[in-house]
Amino acid sequence: MEKNHQAIEKKWQNRWEEKGVFKAINGSEKPPYYILVEFPYPSGAGLHVGHVRSYTAQDALARMKRMQGYNVLYPMGWDAFGAPAEQYAIKNHIHPKEAVKENIATFKKQMKSIGFSFDWDREFSTTDPDYYKWTQWQFLQFYKHGMAYKEKVPVNWCETCKTVLSNEDAAGGVCERCGSRVVQKEKSQWMLKMASYSEDLLKGLDDTNFADKVKLGQINWIGKSVGAHVDFKIAHHDLTFTVFTTRCDTLYGATYCVLAPEHEYVDIITTQDKKAEVDAYKKACALKNDLERTELNKEKTGVFTGAYAINPVNKKEIPIYISDYVLATYGTGAIMAVPAHDDRDYEFAQKFNIPIIQVLEEVTGTPHDGEEKKNSIVAIVYDEKEKKYLTLNWGKKGGRLFIGGTIKDKETPLECAKREIAEETGYTSLELIKELPKINHHYYAYNKDKYFNIESTGYFFKLKDNSKIEQNLDEDEDFKVEWVSEDVISKEIKDELHMRTYEYAKNPGAMTGDGIHINSEELNGLNKEDAINKMISWLEQNHCGKKQVNYKMRDWIFSRQRFWGEPIPMIYCEKCGWVPMDEKDLPLLLPDVAEYEPTDTGESPLAKITDWVNTTCPKCGSPAKRETDTMPNWAGSSWYFLRFMDAHNNEEFASMDAMKYWQKVDWYNGGMEHTARHLLYARFWVQFLYNIGLVPNKEMIWTRVSHGMVLGSNNEKMSKSKGNVINPDDIINEYGADTLRLYEMFMGNYEQDAPWSTDSLKGCKRFIDKVIRLKDKVGSKTGYSKDLEALIHKSIKKVEYDLTHMAYNTAVSTLMILANAYEEKEELTKDDYHLLLILLNPIAPHITEELNEELGYKPLTEETWPKYDETKLVDSEVGIAISVNGKLRNTIKVPVDSSKETLEELAKNDEKVQKHLEGKEIVKIIVVPNKIVNIVVK
RNA sequence: GCAGGUAUGGCGAAAUUGGUAGACGCGCUAGACUUAGGAUCUAGUGGAGCAAUCCGUGGGGGUUCAAGUCCCUUUACCUGCACCA
């Protein structure tokens, strides 16, 4: 008895629409529940099976919540401004709004054919004048509260798209849209003061229930770092510049400073003899875009200005360089460089031969009371020809070590190292490659029964030739001198000090970790944290610095030189400057024209439409010109979830009453790729509206979750060029919307990517057919079948839990298990079957409604979600695992809640278990009721 | 380089607090019913072995009566950020 899914699905979709069963009612008595999916950009390609996955997931939740008595708001709309529609329009010479209209119609038809329970009454597009009127209105609020300003800034400029890109759009120095290289260009742009919200955006996360990875993404993007400002005077100038550092504890190790090439002092302080070189370098940097800068980060570049800065802590003069590894846009555009403790500075210092002063030494070993202090050395000698290292094999006494020794009076560490090598091994012909960072080591010497704390200096030598003198050993020195390979060293050298010294020799670089300070006067002996605090107090007392917090996040560049975006409602008047449009004149409509190509000068196509551009100043009435830039794509999506709460309001963007009723988006689903940008913009926008009293909460989104992608069957991202695209329309035609929905819920972990499999899809079709067949078993009895009761109650609990915890795949498998149990039975009660239909309805709404109607029940959209009974969740019998020494030996069936003693007896006397107990002594028996018995034997 | 994530049969994957690894589905094998099967049903299906049994959650170590799950270490892949001082 084959069902015609196409007819059934159409029938129920029409019925739902006629009855308006999915309408959310503002101010309803029922508790509100707001479920949101990111509204799509209606592309020409139509709905993607990826959309189906997340919309179905949220739809299942919405349908269950409705049955549970909630007033559910599950809206849908269109984020339709943006480049693709504009490109399409340029190509085909039609207005982008025509293309958008067509695409929306396609999307909407597809969505309806899948049976999503959207409240279509609240539908809108960001391109509707009724909507973007409020986007413009909100921009004016930003402006009026001093949060929007126009400024000439170096911006990311895409030569191909002829537009400015935000840092977010130009991540990695590549245009997000067209993939071409981004160059730097000075342009006057509208900016929103987002950076000033950094701390609030960080703190606000505490008032959300975002997934941890989402929160972390936001935290990283905001990029807070706590440090200090330090003022450096410039020698022979009456000038001071400030650097930002998180490591003011290393000030004594600062051996040079670097200014960004764009820094305002560069021209002033550069000495005559350096001027040509500095100018050339500045010019070269200006030509580089972000990508080239990063590409070249393998090799540091820079130029000495000829000027010197005075280190405030020790009054030493240190050279000032300029280099593009210092960014003009972060911190103060200037740094103090501590090559011993910063990787980048180390690299630069190496290249330019700048001194490296260690001010922090790593600590190894464990401190102990009553330690004796010593200074000592560890010498590593390398034979390049043989590729071997010189070691001393102390046998059982001390294992394998490099050469070590204590520094004698009036001996330098280097002399000590050479002496020890000669005495212990005889080798004398050595070339010093490198002095290694000092290490602070704690250890216990068995031969002397004493604890030591040593400061060890490492030396790395190369063996020049084999010339030797005779060894000169102490009595207690009993070792073999052996040359060994790297392998042997990594296996046999266990001593922490020697191993760390060896690692320093092999991988020279900065020591960026914690330790104790040296060469730092009053900071000596302190760890990193204490030294930072002490230094900050010192800087503040001496008025040459202070504690300072910095953020990576910058202000939001809010202009685009495009046609297809919200016009920025600002007017430029020669007399009055920038004047905001009168609010009552909004919306400022996009004109209808035939040419959308951007201009070569980087102005928006709107600039060519003189009728539109020329206007009068709202303030003084003189002739004036409109702003021709439009808003970025992210503008409309920054507040759309507020509009859904009150979509038809002509007086306000949304009334306070409506927003107070819905409170927050309870459950917001979107792609992981939007966690940094869209979500941050939206939160910033909302926080601003809250601060001016226009929304009820500082955070308007409670839970944010993200979904994995649906990949092609070859495990690659679906794309036309790879030919692995699945069109949902085809699947619906052949298998039905319910099958598609069911499969997409079943395909895998919702938060992870999952490949498409048409075979698995067929399995889901079979399951639906099975549910249809089960109807033949339904008899006239009511109430649940006794032997199914426990499983039924378990299933209700599990499905309910899974749908609210994004475990859709296991919700489906639970239903499959239930159906399998039904199939075993000769006869089912009406209630047995009705229950299965209710539980399955959120995921497969059409077929369940149909079967439900055939059974004579009221529609499932009016049904109440069943309640499970905790007391009926357990079976009367339970399987107990019996293991011996943790290995499973048998499983037995016992009445549920059998006592520990009973289980222990049963386990010991079990035939299969006894075999493993023979001749052994029982040490311990662990009994976990209703789970496991583990017998430990010897 | 930094941060985050993932790693379990031939495949997609399960395993709420450490407690019977592989639920559920796909595929595969054999059989039944059939003119036919891409329908349905029955049985089987992690590996080795006739079996008892042994081995199995990327690799190595550890904690525990007991580890996919906790700790240390290491590898591979994915994603995001990338000179952020």
Side-chain angles (χ1 to χ4, degrees), chain A residues 38-42 76-83 85 97 100 104 122-136 138 564-567 587-590 631-644 678 685:
Chain A
E38 280 176 355
F39 62 163
Y41 175 81
M76 182 44 68
W78 317 102
D79 187 17
F81 275 128
K97 75 181 175 192
V100 163
I104 286 177
R122 294 174 190 247
E123 173 195 3
F124 61 80
S125 166
T126 51
T127 56
D128 294 342
D130 281 349
Y131 180 82
Y132 73 70
K133 165 183 173 176
W134 295 110
T135 311
Q136 291 172 331
Q138 287 169 86
W564 192 231
E566 300 89 341
L588 171 58
L589 295 172
L590 272 171
M631 298 189 199
N633 215 20
W634 310 101
S637 58
S638 289
W639 70 281
Y640 75 110
F641 43 93
L642 302 175
R643 186 66 177 172
F644 279 137
H678 158 63
W685 200 284

Side-chain angles (χ1 to χ4, degrees), chain A residues 197-221:
Chain A
Y197 273 58
S198 300
E199 192 60 35
D200 283 339
L201 288 170
L202 212 50
K203 284 216 185 86
L205 289 172
D206 295 339
D207 300 324
T208 71
N209 185 38
F210 294 176
D212 284 346
K213 60 176 175 181
V214 175
K215 281 191 183 177
L216 203 70
Q218 301 236 317
I219 290 167
N220 288 342
W221 197 274

Side-chain angles (χ1 to χ4, degrees), chain A residues 322-393:
Chain A
I322 62 168
S323 171
D324 67 358
Y325 84 92
V326 172
L327 307 175
T329 45
Y330 181 77
T332 59
I335 63 157
M336 66 176 209
V338 184
H341 303 288
D342 181 281
D343 291 322
R344 297 152 296 180
D345 299 344
Y346 180 87
E347 201 185 321
F348 192 87
Q350 285 285 310
K351 182 161 173 185
F352 291 88
N353 247 323
I354 301 168
I356 296 172
I357 300 174
Q358 186 186 6
V359 292
L360 208 67
E361 50 187 29
E362 182 176 346
V363 180
T364 55
T366 320
H368 199 275
D369 288 340
E371 287 172 327
E372 187 176 315
K373 291 206 182 271
K374 303 199 285 195
N375 291 321
S376 55
I377 61 98
V378 172
I380 294 176
V381 181
Y382 182 56
D383 181 351
E384 216 170 17
K385 278 187 216 116
E386 303 288 326
K387 293 200 165 50
K388 285 193 171 165
Y389 292 86
L390 185 57
T391 64
L392 310 181
N393 188 349

Side-chain angles (χ1 to χ4, degrees), chain A residues 208-327:
Chain A
T208 71
N209 185 38
F210 294 176
D212 284 346
K213 60 176 175 181
V214 175
K215 281 191 183 177
L216 203 70
Q218 301 236 317
I219 290 167
N220 288 342
W221 197 274
I222 296 167
K224 178 177 183 170
S225 69
V226 180
H229 271 177
V230 182
D231 300 329
F232 282 75
K233 289 206 170 90
I234 300 171
H236 316 301
H237 281 89
D238 193 16
L239 284 175
T240 300
F241 66 92
T242 303
V243 304
F244 174 69
T245 176
T246 54
R247 292 298 304 276
C248 64
D249 62 310
T250 62
L251 250 169
Y252 284 96
T255 52
Y256 65 100
C257 282
V258 187
L259 304 182
E262 299 87 357
H263 196 281
E264 53 171 339
Y265 286 178
V266 173
D267 290 338
I268 307 171
I269 63 169
T270 301
T271 54
Q272 208 50 46
D273 55 324
K274 300 286 177 191
K275 199 169 180 347
E277 212 183 334
V278 166
D279 284 349
Y281 186 76
K282 279 176 66 177
K283 218 178 208 171
C285 289
L287 288 174
K288 282 190 215 167
N289 62 37
D290 274 356
L291 182 66
E292 281 162 334
R293 278 195 174 197
T294 40
E295 269 182 352
L296 292 173
N297 78 16
K298 291 162 212 138
E299 181 97 357
K300 292 271 179 294
T301 59
V303 181
F304 177 41
T305 60
Y308 290 85
I310 298 165
N311 188 336
V313 294
N314 57 13
K315 310 298 176 223
K316 270 193 194 163
E317 291 195 4
I318 53 178
I320 303 173
Y321 283 76
I322 62 168
S323 171
D324 67 358
Y325 84 92
V326 172
L327 307 175

Side-chain angles (χ1 to χ4, degrees), chain A residues 804-818:
Chain A
T804 47
H805 290 80
M806 292 187 294
Y808 306 99
N809 53 342
T810 49
V812 175
S813 75
T814 300
L815 295 167
M816 286 173 169
I817 291 167
L818 187 64

